[in-house]
């Protein structure tokens, strides 16, 4: 097999000499590349020691992105309980990278996050609405929690009545889920809302109003 | 200095010639009869494209032309149904010529340099039209650039497909080898198994062989484990002897700058720490959180001091404890959970958060 391997290495080197820039600069090309690898059963990001990483430089691109994602999530955790929309994550990561850095797409972020899961610190991806919420804490979020998050995505908050009517759940079940989200710091309770209490998701705040909140302010906001 | 050859009118094709490029025009000269040549002003060319060589056909450049102006000098043909000419490179030179021709068309030096020749040049004396020519020039450039980009991308995709075909063969080969290994379980040396695993690592193919002695580790991961032991000693001491794997990942990769570790590389290396008798170890909490500890670190002892801290304050949440002790919230929570597991603390799980109290059920009967 080592002969085949050497031959393949040469082919890859040739490809890299012609198209390495393409991979770095073109997000669509990266998607194609990743999809093709997946189809044939190859993971170009499995190891920094892999050929793909060494010769095409794909590894460094995604592993560094992983570091940036971890740092952004850590910085905002006190505010959103460890849940953040893919859009906000994207924005924050781009900000951190500066204007001379390569373009990074949401697809790139998702792939980097999938790799981070193996580190055991609770990285996960939750589909909501047409987008994704990125989880970065080892909180247990089951199907019930996910479904409520999806419901809350439209307005940034959700009430018990809405859950009952949309999902046809019993009050008890709805309350359990909401309390869990409150405990994890992923939801904030607004008891002063007209009508019934509203459970807001800070992760979804940025569209509504973006404000930098310090950990102290966050503490005070929690009932 | 330009001649039109009457004999050419008999020829259907212009074969066996030499193509010449000047700042103003493209000239084709018959190889045998040097007095016979034809030319196109470069200003007549809208854009050019390449046609790659194939089996039985040579590489070509296609030059798309503006419609001829009414005062054009007579050429080899009165008219043509085509708006382009194809230049066929039977021997070589297509690539270099294309590059030079592109340059000349882009630079448009004929606009600035008077020729002093009798050749028809598209010079428009009216100032009003010049701006239009400028815009057309830009459009042409953009068109060329777009074609160039498209061509690059499609070439890249083609090459990618071919590469993937070869990669697929490698995957198939590795599967058949893995099967052979499984069958000959006893006959394969450890060395050969390790070598095979490193091949898989290079290709990024998941390891189909059962995880035995070294897990999914290879020599690479062993070396990495030893490196990590060196790199992490001081940071661990600075952080109370324990760090989450995510912290380690960031620390190590930030320090490296290049040739970064993949998350899997890190995990695989850490799994080997204990077996290599290094002064660090990997620990996995019930929650799935993974940490690296100094061997000298004893989490259970830390629990005792955590209990003291909690008792002093009456009760603490993970956030509060983290701030007091100077730990990350993630690890603070794990310590409190461990203390709870060991029976020293008990929890009050309410909407206001998870709060830990000394377990008086244990200490006071």
């Amino acid at each position: 097999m080592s002969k085949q391997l050497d031959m393949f290495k040469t082919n890859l080197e040739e490809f890299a000499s012609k198209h390495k820039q393409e991979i770095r600069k073109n997000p669509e090309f990266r998607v194609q590349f990743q999809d093709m690898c997946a189809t044939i059963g190859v993971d170009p990001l499995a190891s920094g020691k892999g050929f793909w990483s060494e010769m095409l430089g794909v590894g460094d691109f995604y592993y560094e992105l992983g570091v940036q994602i971890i740092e952004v999530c850590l910085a905002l955790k006190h505010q959103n309980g460890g849940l953040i929309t893919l859009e906000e994550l994207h924005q924050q990561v781009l900000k951190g990278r500066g204007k001379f850095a390569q373009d990074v797409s949401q697809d790139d972020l998702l792939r980097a996050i999938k790799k981070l899961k193996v580190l055991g610190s609770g990285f996960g991806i939750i589909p909501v609405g047409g987008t994704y919420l990125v989880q970065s804490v080892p909180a247990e979020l089951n199907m019930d929690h996910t479904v409520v998050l999806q419901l809350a995505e439209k307005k940034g908050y959700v009430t018990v009545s809405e859950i009952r009517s949309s999902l046809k759940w019993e009050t008890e079940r709805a309350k359990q889920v909401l309390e869990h989200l409150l405990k994890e710091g992923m939801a904030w309770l607004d008891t002063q809302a007209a009508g019934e209490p509203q459970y807001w998701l800070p992760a979804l705040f940025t569209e509504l109003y973006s404000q930098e909140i310090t950990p102290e302010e966050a503490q005070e906001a929690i009932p | 200095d330009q001649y039109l050859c009457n004999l050419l009118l008999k020829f259907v094709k212009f074969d066996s010639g030499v193509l010449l490029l000047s700042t103003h025009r493209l000239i084709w000269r018959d190889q045998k009869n040097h007095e016979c040549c034809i030319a196109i002003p470069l200003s007549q060319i809208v854009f050019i494209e390449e046609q790659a060589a194939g089996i039985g056909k040579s590489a070509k450049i296609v030059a798309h032309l503006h419609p001829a102006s009414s005062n054009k000098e007579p050429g080899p043909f009165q008219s043509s149904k085509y708006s382009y000419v194809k230049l066929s490179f039977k021997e070589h030179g297509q690539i270099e010529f294309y590059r030079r021709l592109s340059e000349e068309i882009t630079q448009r030096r004929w606009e600035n340099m008077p020729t002093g020749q009798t050749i028809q040049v598209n010079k428009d004396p009216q100032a009003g039209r010049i701006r239009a020519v400028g815009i057309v020039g830009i459009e042409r450039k953009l068109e060329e650039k777009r074609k160039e980009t498209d061509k690059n991308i499609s070439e890249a995709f083609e090459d990618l497909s071919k590469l993937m075909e070869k990669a697929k063969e490698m995957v198939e080969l590795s599967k058949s080898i893995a099967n052979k290994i499984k069958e000959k379980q006893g006959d394969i040396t450890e060395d050969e198994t390790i070598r095979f695993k490193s091949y898989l690592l290079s290709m990024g193919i998941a390891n189909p062989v059962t995880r035995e002695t070294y897990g999914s580790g290879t020599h690479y991961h062993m070396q990495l484990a030893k490196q990590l032991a060196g790199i992490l000693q001081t940071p661990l001491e600075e952080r109370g002897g324990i760090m989450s794997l995510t912290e380690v990942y960031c620390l190590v990769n930030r320090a490296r700058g290049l040739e970064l570790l993949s998350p899997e590389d890190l995990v695989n290396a850490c799994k080997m720490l204990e077996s290599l008798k290094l002064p660090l170890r990997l620990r996995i909490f019930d929650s799935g959180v993974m940490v690296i500890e100094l061997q000298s670190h004893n989490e259970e002892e830390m629990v005792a001091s955590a209990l003291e801290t909690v008792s002093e304050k009456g009760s603490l949440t993970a956030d509060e404890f983290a701030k007091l002790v100077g730990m990350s919230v993630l690890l603070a929570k794990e310590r409190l959970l461990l203390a709870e597991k060991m029976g020293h603390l008990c929890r009050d799980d309410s909407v206001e958060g998870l709060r830990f109290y000394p377990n008086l059920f244990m200490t006071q009967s």
Side-chain angles (χ1 to χ4, degrees):
Chain A
M1 182 166 174
S2 58
K3 225 192 297 177
Q4 316 283 77
L5 207 68
D6 284 335
M7 235 177 62
F8 181 79
K9 198 171 171 192
T10 314
N11 289 329
L12 186 54
E13 269 167 352
E14 217 185 290
F15 180 84
S17 67
K18 284 163 81 182
H19 303 299
K20 192 170 176 174
Q21 286 306 316
E22 211 59 58
I23 295 219
R24 273 218 263 265
K25 291 189 182 160
N26 189 338
E28 273 104 53
F29 194 68
R30 277 199 294 278
V31 173
Q32 270 290 354
F33 170 74
Q34 294 275 20
D35 284 347
M36 283 179 152
C37 283
T39 308
I40 61 173
V42 160
D43 182 0
L45 301 182
S47 172
K49 201 76 169 82
F51 287 158
W52 309 97
S53 199
E54 287 182 333
M55 282 178 239
L56 290 181
V58 253
D60 278 7
F61 176 81
Y62 285 98
Y63 306 149
E64 187 183 10
L65 194 52
V67 172
Q68 290 163 347
I69 291 169
I70 291 171
E71 290 176 344
V72 166
C73 288
L74 200 61
L76 296 175
K77 192 165 74 167
H78 65 269
Q79 188 177 318
N80 56 31
L83 269 190
I84 187 171
T85 57
L86 189 59
E87 279 79 24
E88 192 183 350
L89 180 61
H90 192 202
Q91 262 176 39
Q92 297 285 354
V93 165
L94 286 176
K95 237 199 300 187
R97 282 169 77 91
K99 45 187 175 165
F100 297 111
Q102 296 146 356
D103 199 17
V104 153
S105 69
Q106 287 185 1
D107 182 85
D108 291 329
L109 291 176
L110 289 173
R111 291 186 198 272
I113 293 166
K114 286 195 187 124
K115 283 288 142 194
L116 292 177
K117 278 190 191 176
V118 79
L119 294 175
S121 292
F123 269 91
I125 297 169
I126 304 168
V128 292
T131 176
Y132 297 93
L133 282 175
V134 174
Q135 180 184 352
S136 59
V137 289
E140 279 280 336
L141 290 183
N142 58 30
M143 287 287 288
D144 274 8
H145 302 122
T146 310
V147 148
V148 167
L149 288 174
Q150 288 166 346
L151 195 57
E153 192 258 345
K154 301 191 193 84
K155 293 185 289 185
Y157 72 90
V158 75
T159 61
V160 173
S161 316
E162 279 168 10
I163 296 177
R164 279 171 55 97
S165 62
S166 299
L167 303 175
K168 310 281 185 273
W169 287 1
E170 299 290 323
T171 306
E172 197 49 48
R173 185 177 176 187
K175 279 204 167 151
Q176 250 187 17
V177 168
L178 292 171
E179 277 173 16
H180 182 83
L181 293 175
L182 278 178
K183 278 186 223 162
E184 293 295 339
M186 293 175 179
W188 292 8
L189 180 59
D190 178 7
T191 49
Q192 292 176 342
E196 61 178 302
Q198 293 170 344
Y199 294 79
W200 287 79
L201 296 187
L204 303 171
F205 275 5
T206 22
E207 281 95 87
L208 306 174
Y209 49 83
S210 43
Q211 228 184 359
E212 297 276 292
I213 307 182
T214 64
E216 287 74 18
E217 288 173 302
Q219 283 283 39
E220 287 169 40
I222 295 169
Chain B
D1 106 315
Q2 174 209 17
Y3 297 88
L4 291 173
C5 177
N6 294 324
L7 292 176
L8 287 179
L9 290 169
K10 289 193 195 165
F11 299 156
V12 178
K13 272 199 264 189
F14 294 88
D15 273 351
S16 304
V18 172
L19 198 58
L20 305 165
L21 177 65
S22 80
T23 52
H24 289 66
R25 56 190 182 222
L26 199 58
I27 304 166
W28 181 89
R29 193 175 67 190
D30 188 277
Q31 206 155 53
K32 299 206 183 94
N33 182 358
H34 282 207
E35 285 186 345
C36 173
C37 56
I38 52 176
I40 302 172
L42 293 184
S43 52
Q44 278 297 108
I45 300 179
V46 181
F47 70 92
I48 54 172
E49 54 180 345
E50 288 185 283
Q51 279 181 4
I55 301 172
K57 51 178 183 146
S58 54
K60 294 181 180 59
I61 293 177
V62 182
H64 295 263
L65 308 175
H66 282 298
S69 58
S70 48
N71 50 0
K72 178 180 102 60
E73 280 192 47
F77 296 97
Q78 282 284 58
S79 66
S80 170
K81 60 178 173 174
Y82 301 109
S83 62
Y84 58 81
V85 290
K86 279 196 190 179
L87 309 163
S88 172
F89 292 75
K90 295 261 164 74
E91 287 174 10
H92 55 257
Q94 183 262 343
I95 294 172
E96 185 61 23
F97 202 93
Y98 180 82
R99 191 171 71 77
R100 301 293 186 110
L101 184 54
S102 291
E103 264 174 44
E104 290 302 324
I105 291 176
T106 309
Q107 285 175 13
R108 303 177 67 85
R109 291 193 276 178
W110 65 85
E111 285 179 352
N112 306 323
M113 292 157 65
T115 56
Q117 310 292 346
T118 52
I119 186 171
Q120 200 78 300
V121 172
N122 269 356
K123 247 198 297 193
D124 199 309
Q126 293 167 323
R129 289 272 292 278
I130 290 175
R131 204 184 300 146
V133 169
I135 288 173
V136 168
I138 290 168
E139 284 175 347
R140 267 187 231 156
K141 274 188 224 176
L142 288 174
E143 178 69 28
E144 275 166 32
K145 189 151 186 245
R146 191 189 65 77
K147 291 230 151 211
E148 187 70 38
T149 311
D150 281 353
K151 197 196 55 122
N152 282 343
I153 300 256
S154 53
E155 198 190 315
F157 276 120
E158 250 182 69
D159 287 348
L160 182 63
S161 301
K162 288 188 203 142
L163 186 72
M164 287 299 163
E165 284 298 318
K166 305 218 168 83
K168 194 167 169 194
E169 285 168 21
M170 297 299 292
V171 175
E172 297 305 325
L173 181 61
S174 71
K175 277 189 198 154
S176 65
I177 294 181
N179 283 333
K180 285 198 201 130
I181 288 181
K182 231 193 282 183
E183 286 162 29
K184 298 206 285 178
Q185 203 78 357
D187 296 356
I188 296 285
T189 66
E190 233 166 60
D191 224 39
E192 285 172 340
T193 313
I194 292 181
R195 204 170 341 139
F196 179 59
K197 281 182 187 165
S198 77
Y199 292 158
L200 295 179
L201 188 72
S202 301
M203 285 298 304
I205 299 171
N207 193 337
V209 181
T210 56
R211 288 147 224 299
E212 292 138 355
T213 331
Y214 299 113
S216 42
T218 63
H219 279 137
Y220 169 63
H221 292 118
M222 269 200 274
Q223 275 180 312
L224 197 49
K226 292 179 192 159
Q227 274 177 33
L228 287 172
I231 298 170
L232 296 174
Q233 184 74 26
T234 311
L236 278 169
E237 284 166 7
E238 289 170 354
R239 288 165 179 72
I242 186 169
M243 282 172 77
S244 74
L245 215 53
T246 345
E247 273 179 277
V248 172
Y249 177 77
C250 290
L251 190 104
V252 171
N253 275 340
R254 279 263 177 247
R256 282 172 86 112
L258 284 179
E259 289 179 18
L260 305 182
L261 300 183
S262 74
E264 275 152 88
D265 284 336
L266 183 60
V267 172
N268 286 334
C270 290
K271 282 184 181 163
M272 299 177 84
L273 288 170
E274 197 120 41
S275 61
L276 291 173
K277 310 243 187 309
L278 293 164
L280 322 173
R281 61 165 170 256
L282 175 69
R283 179 177 184 153
I284 306 178
F285 287 113
D286 293 342
S287 60
V289 170
M290 297 165 86
V291 299
I292 299 292
E293 297 177 324
L294 287 171
Q295 282 285 7
S296 56
H297 178 89
N298 190 331
E299 187 65 10
E300 280 70 10
E301 273 170 20
M302 304 307 288
V303 160
S305 83
L307 175 57
E308 266 182 52
T309 314
V310 174
S311 305
E312 271 170 47
K313 300 287 177 181
S315 72
L316 288 173
T317 63
D319 276 314
E320 291 164 354
F321 180 62
K323 221 183 270 183
L324 266 176
V325 176
M327 280 179 89
S328 72
V329 177
L330 186 78
L331 296 180
K333 190 166 181 191
E334 290 303 325
R335 185 165 294 172
L336 294 175
L337 287 172
L338 184 62
E340 182 193 31
K341 189 172 170 186
M342 287 166 66
H344 299 299
L345 296 178
C346 58
R347 68 169 59 190
D348 173 23
D349 209 352
S350 74
V351 167
E352 290 169 25
L354 181 57
R355 189 165 279 279
F356 290 90
Y357 291 80
N359 186 0
L360 300 175
F361 295 112
M362 283 269 284
T363 56
Q364 296 172 3
S365 45

